[in-house]
Amino acid sequence: MRTKFGFDFVTTAAPDQVIELMTDFSPNRPHRWPASSVKAYEVYRLGETEADIREGQDFPKLWATWHYDWSKPNSVTLTIVESDHLEAGGLMSLTAAPHDGGSSVHAVWQQTSTSVRGLLAVIMMRFVGPRSLASYYKRVYDRL
């Protein structure tokens, strides 16, 4: 099953801070993103405007190897290369624009399940994803 949706949020973080946090692949990354698993995090390759990393979460237990691309100004696109429960080629993108001293961020989330666990995650995201992801990202960015 494939699910695609967009979501928007406004944050006190400037567009460059939005991109910096999304592309911070330091050992501190899992601590900056509360839903991330320290155990699943691994950097495979880091370039000037792209990276390949493994990330996951402990609940529900899911992981994916993502290709990050931030070659377009104020934008980051994450594409799944490999995952335990989601199809390769799934993506998430964020684009930040200046807004009242912070940013207005538009995001797109598109994933396809490859297992029962993935199916449950994708179905759940279809119903609660736009609101829960907007709230989560706003909370993370407003802490900067």
Side-chain angles (χ1 to χ4, degrees):
M1 168 182 263
R2 178 176 176 225
T3 295
K4 178 180 180 179
F5 58 83
F7 62 94
D8 299 285
F9 63 94
V10 174
T11 176
T12 57
D16 62 325
Q17 291 176 301
V18 170
I19 303 309
E20 185 279 326
L21 183 55
M22 282 298 292
T23 60
D24 171 13
F25 301 111
S26 72
N28 196 39
R29 182 180 180 82
H31 304 290
R32 295 182 81 186
W33 292 98
S36 293
S37 168
V38 173
K39 293 179 256 177
Y41 180 64
E42 189 172 349
V43 176
Y44 297 121
R45 187 180 65 79
L46 181 57
E48 291 283 323
T49 60
E50 58 184 5
D52 295 314
I53 69 166
R54 183 179 191 261
E55 290 182 290
Q57 56 194 44
D58 294 324
F59 184 79
K61 194 164 183 79
L62 300 167
W63 67 266
T65 299
W66 297 90
H67 176 75
Y68 278 72
D69 178 351
W70 61 98
S71 59
K72 291 169 58 177
N74 295 332
S75 184
V76 179
T77 299
L78 300 66
T79 305
I80 292 179
V81 176
E82 178 185 15
S83 176
D84 57 350
H85 298 288
L86 299 171
E87 189 173 280
L91 64 86
M92 187 173 131
S93 67
L94 279 93
T95 302
H99 180 80
D100 291 339
S103 299
S104 174
V105 180
H106 175 70
V108 174
W109 191 92
Q110 177 181 306
Q111 304 294 333
T112 303
S113 61
T114 60
S115 69
V116 173
R117 183 177 290 176
L119 179 62
L120 293 174
V122 167
I123 289 171
M124 180 186 78
M125 291 305 284
R126 178 175 281 183
F127 294 105
V128 302
R131 188 177 35 208
S132 67
L133 286 177
S135 173
Y136 172 71
Y137 278 89
K138 177 176 176 42
R139 200 169 48 252
V140 169
Y141 282 114
D142 283 352
R143 290 188 319 191
L144 294 177

